[in-house]
Amino acid sequence: MLRSGIIILVALFLAACTTGNVPIGPDGKPLPRLYRIKPGDTGRIQFSMQDGINSLRTVKGLGTVSLNAQLNAAAATHSRDMAVQNRPWHFGSDGSSPIDRVKRVGYTGRLTGENISETYESELETLAAWMEEAPTREVILNPNATEMGFAWFQEKNGKIWWTLVMAHP
């Protein structure tokens, strides 16, 4: 498990160091590449995120997290709602909070945090961005978290609304 965590971290580092024909925007930063999600990709993407999170947690000496179907449903609902609202924020269009949403899907445990993102990037690029900021990194590395939900909504133009929910029973 530790070995796979190190491999993922090295892969993320090497991916950041690559050169080539990367289009650059007016701000001097690389333009995002369109990451197109296909209908059959759900399991692959959710397990990819879970593996990435568990690798990072293992390196820090923390326990792993498992995917929870109820938390996945809460995350999916919020991702679609953010797209409808056209803004990344933690409150639903009906005023619901992350705590409200996990209760609505029947989860009886305790929410430890929620991360959201509006991007055109993959799940692992999004995870790397979350790890760069203290508040979102703390959600991922919360020692109390033992379960996670992860989902997204992709618009026709390719924009992806990601939601990660961390909790414990």
Side-chain angles (χ1 to χ4, degrees), residues 57 63-65 112 139-147 166-169:
R57 290 175 62 87
T64 59
V65 295
T112 59
V139 168
I140 293 163
L141 300 178
N142 184 312
N144 296 320
T146 59
E147 295 182 316
M166 303 289 281
H168 69 86

Side-chain angles (χ1 to χ4, degrees), residues 10-153:
V10 169
L12 289 171
F13 174 77
L14 292 175
C17 295
T18 59
T19 60
N21 293 335
V22 177
I24 304 296
D27 60 357
K29 294 181 181 180
L31 292 173
R33 293 183 328 256
L34 182 61
Y35 180 66
R36 190 58 75 178
I37 299 172
K38 298 178 197 96
D41 288 346
T42 300
R44 179 188 62 78
I45 290 171
Q46 286 178 325
F47 287 119
S48 173
M49 179 60 84
Q50 179 190 19
D51 287 345
I53 287 172
N54 282 336
S55 295
L56 293 165
R57 290 175 62 87
T58 300
V59 167
K60 294 290 187 177
L62 300 170
T64 59
V65 295
S66 58
L67 281 166
N68 177 286
Q70 292 169 315
L71 297 176
N72 286 342
T77 298
H78 190 55
S79 292
R80 180 175 282 281
D81 192 46
M82 285 190 297
V84 168
Q85 296 180 73
N86 196 33
R87 64 177 170 178
W89 75 323
H90 294 282
F91 294 96
S93 56
D94 61 356
S96 62
S97 71
I99 294 170
D100 296 329
R101 290 189 295 276
V102 299
K103 284 181 181 178
R104 283 182 187 163
V105 296
Y107 188 76
T108 57
R110 183 170 177 262
L111 178 77
T112 59
E114 178 183 76
N115 285 346
I116 57 173
S117 182
E118 167 194 17
T119 185
Y120 292 87
E121 297 175 324
S122 74
E123 67 280 1
L124 293 181
E125 290 168 313
T126 301
L127 176 58
W130 284 337
M131 289 301 290
E132 290 177 9
E133 301 294 328
T136 50
R137 182 174 53 248
E138 289 169 8
V139 168
I140 293 163
L141 300 178
N142 184 312
N144 296 320
T146 59
E147 295 182 316
M148 65 173 273
F150 182 64
W152 59 91
F153 178 78

